[in-house]
Amino acid sequence: MKKITDFRLIEKKEWARSTFLLLQSDEPLEEIKAGQFVQVHVDNAQHTYLRRPISIHDVDYDNRTITLLVQRVGEGSNKIADTEINATLNMIYPLGNGFTLPEDKNEKVLLVGGGIGIAPLFYLGKMLKDKGVDFKFLLGGRSKTDLIMLDEFASVGEVLVTTNDGSLGEEGFVTQHSVWKKERFNKIYTCGPKPMMMALAKMARENDIWCEVSLENLMACGLGACLCCVENTVEGNVCVCKEGPVININKLLW
Amino acid sequence: MVNETIKLKGLTLKNPVMTASGTFGYGEEYADFIDLSQLGGILVKGTTLNHREGNPYPRMAETPSGMLNAVGLQNKGIDYFVETIYPRIKDIDTNIIVNVSGSTIEDYCAVAEKVNALENIPAIELNVSCPNVKQGGMAFGVTCAGIEQVVTAVRKVYDKHLMVKLSPNVTNIADLALSAEASGADSVSLINTLLGMAIDAETRRPKLSTVTGGLSGACVKPVALRMVWQVAKAVKIPVIGLGGISSATDAIEFMLAGASAIEIGTANFIDPTISVKVAKGIVEYCERHNIKNVSDLTGALEVM
């Protein structure tokens, strides 16, 4: 069930362009699927009228916490990233559909993240690990400073890295990583910049690999009411906030 | 005990708070957050004769204290509504009102006739003011002759409460309201969105696929309030006020300016529970001011 809840910020880590926020609720958490998101209310921001949709990076039911990775883009995300310890953020959650978990644990799975798009893959990786599924993370950034939380990712599964400038891992885009030549995957989950996801979707289609992408179209309500965040699919325009954000590439027109 | 009931012709609202079309889906989207039966009414998404895919993405741009949208009446058409959606929502204990849209008089009439046959729909809101569709309503809604044509035609096929939603993108909205009244409207609701525009200077591109779109949210409230006041002075039929209402105080201001009831729109996106909070806040205001009937607020503005 969707809920509106205040979460208190209890831990924070900062990087140049992004921030890790560990947030705690007074009430037991609603059930959250990997790939779902929150709509965060932004207080005291003159140019920010609407809530900000942010992927859920991690969930801990015992401690009633969720984790967000927030990239500083504009006023709204900066205000959220500037939240002080013990201050609260008002959120609507959990929203959207989430990734489809594999039925068969013998599947070979690759989780491909770019930039801040790595966020929802962390919680997905934890779910896959719990199910005993064989998976790897492939994370890409422009430069090594874009890639955050790598130790935490490595504690969940094997991490492969590409950077455009070669400052960490293999040089190039995620689609150019040598793992594609060495291994055959039958499921890809991806979240990141649209050009990256488009290249992956193309690759997945050419190689007949099942693939889900997580989209981040501009959104107003987050509830499927306003019909602003639509993606044109084989089924016509669908709301990314409700029928997505996770969509199988066989429904996409790109 | 404050009496919250608002009586309009053929339409009784348990309180003056309704949710505006296009901001509240079919109500179901908000059922996790509020008890829908605590609302005076729900105006469901604009419905046309045939399925409409709406405009291409991007359809939304945030603006200071508001937003622009260019959804373009995406909906699955009236037959889908009647067969699939109506059975799901017809027993919600509030007034479910269908916002009827079209591009020709025949379309409007065909949709209105089909809605007329639905027992649990006590009213329609005739949308002659959508700014996001070519020949889509606003063509009718910006001239008195256009309003007369479409309202007269729909009045002949629709015998329940007929509300006409007016466009603010006109020279004198009171004239349009008078035309709606003379053509048989039972009430007018205003304002629909204001035509606006947003540009991304970095890319030199418009932020909306349609270049222009409809402005809504707190930023439009003073304009909407002024128009409600002007229209309420001009017509005898009830006026339903909307445009940027985000609190009980906002709602009360609209009623003082002459609105018999109000609709909450974009504020639903920021706080999905705002509608019931506003209804509660109106009662508290009345208690504080010893007002017995919420309806006594209508037009109670004291102009110096």
Side-chain angles (χ1 to χ4, degrees), chain A residues 42-50 52 75-76 79, chain B residues 62 64-65:
Chain A
V42 186
D43 293 323
N44 305 318
Q46 204 187 343
H47 299 284
T48 307
Y49 187 59
L50 301 165
R52 290 293 182 267
E75 186 195 57
K79 285 272 181 189
Chain B
E62 194 175 32
S65 297

Side-chain angles (χ1 to χ4, degrees), chain B residues 72-93:
Chain B
L73 292 174
Q74 179 182 328
N75 78 100
K76 292 190 170 161
I78 185 62
D79 290 340
Y80 182 86
F81 175 83
V82 171
E83 285 153 27
T84 309
I85 300 169
Y86 175 69
R88 290 203 311 254
I89 63 173
K90 71 181 177 60
D91 294 324
I92 299 173
D93 183 20

Side-chain angles (χ1 to χ4, degrees), chain A:
Chain A
M1 184 160 152
K2 298 184 204 80
K3 234 174 148 176
I4 310 174
T5 309
D6 282 336
F7 281 80
R8 187 170 300 281
L9 183 65
I10 56 171
E11 194 188 326
K12 187 173 175 177
K13 284 182 224 167
E14 299 232 45
W15 293 268
R17 294 171 62 228
S18 38
T19 302
F20 164 102
L21 302 172
L22 181 67
L23 297 142
Q24 190 172 47
S25 167
D26 288 341
E27 299 160 31
L29 296 184
E30 294 295 310
E31 192 185 336
I32 300 170
K33 292 184 208 154
Q36 289 189 303
F37 67 97
V38 296
Q39 277 271 61
V40 186
H41 190 268
V42 186
D43 293 323
N44 305 318
Q46 204 187 343
H47 299 284
T48 307
Y49 187 59
L50 301 165
R51 288 176 181 258
R52 290 293 182 267
I54 298 176
S55 287
I56 297 169
H57 171 69
D58 197 10
V59 178
D60 181 341
Y61 292 105
D62 293 340
N63 290 313
R64 304 182 313 277
T65 60
I66 62 167
T67 310
L68 308 178
L69 297 186
V70 181
Q71 184 163 30
R72 292 176 179 272
V73 182
E75 186 195 57
S77 51
N78 269 298
K79 285 272 181 189
I80 295 168
D82 288 341
T83 304
E84 288 174 6
I85 295 288
N86 282 325
T88 57
L89 285 172
N90 182 267
M91 309 209 214
I92 307 177
Y93 89 104
L95 300 174
N97 58 355
F99 293 106
T100 314
L101 295 179
E103 297 286 319
D104 177 1
K105 65 179 182 180
N106 297 316
E107 308 239 36
K108 286 208 54 154
V109 177
L110 190 65
L111 276 52
V112 188
I116 205 69
I118 64 171
L121 301 183
F122 185 76
Y123 184 41
L124 175 61
K126 282 175 73 173
M127 299 279 223
L128 296 179
K129 189 183 177 184
D130 285 350
K131 288 190 81 153
V133 175
D134 176 20
F135 76 97
K136 289 181 169 67
F137 292 111
L138 171 56
L139 309 178
R142 281 179 295 187
S143 177
K144 68 175 178 186
T145 51
D146 281 355
L147 289 160
I148 58 171
M149 310 283 300
L150 290 182
D151 291 345
E152 286 81 356
F153 275 93
S155 72
V156 176
E158 187 183 340
V159 179
L160 310 169
V161 169
T162 63
T163 50
N164 299 8
D165 64 2
S167 55
L168 193 70
E170 294 185 16
E171 184 175 334
F173 295 108
V174 287
T175 43
Q176 295 165 322
H177 195 279
S178 59
V179 72
W180 297 106
K181 293 200 184 81
K182 290 181 220 152
E183 294 185 50
R184 163 88 197 171
F185 298 96
N186 49 16
K187 270 198 163 67
I188 299 172
Y189 297 92
T190 181
C191 182
K194 196 164 176 189
M196 181 198 91
M197 294 197 292
M198 289 173 89
L200 269 166
K202 185 166 176 272
M203 221 169 127
R205 272 193 205 100
E206 283 165 6
N207 294 286
D208 200 23
I209 306 173
W210 183 98
C211 177
E212 279 185 347
V213 304
S214 177
L215 305 178
E216 57 159 5
N217 293 5
L218 281 172
M219 215 171 261
C221 71
L223 307 171
C226 71
L227 314 185
C228 286
C229 63
V230 291
E231 179 71 23
N232 195 9
T233 68
V234 293
E235 293 160 3
N237 284 323
V238 302
C239 285
V240 165
C241 68
K242 194 176 174 187
E243 280 101 353
V246 178
I247 296 184
N248 193 294
I249 58 166
N250 63 23
K251 288 191 182 164
L252 294 173
L253 300 181
W254 46 267

Side-chain angles (χ1 to χ4, degrees), chain B residues 115-188:
Chain B
V115 180
N116 204 31
L118 302 175
E119 197 185 343
N120 291 6
I121 307 284
I124 58 172
E125 180 179 56
L126 203 62
N127 182 357
V128 291
S129 43
C130 175
N132 292 325
V133 178
K134 277 174 202 156
Q135 295 112 32
M138 201 162 97
F140 293 106
V142 294
T143 65
C144 292
I147 294 236
E148 280 160 21
Q149 249 188 317
V150 67
V151 177
T152 304
V154 170
R155 182 74 285 178
K156 283 181 190 149
V157 298
Y158 189 77
D159 54 29
K160 299 186 214 171
H161 187 95
L162 173 58
M163 188 186 296
V164 177
K165 188 168 186 178
L166 301 177
S167 171
N169 304 303
V170 295
T171 311
N172 184 354
I173 194 165
D175 289 344
L176 287 292
L178 285 165
S179 294
E181 180 178 43
S183 308
D186 295 313
S187 65
V188 284

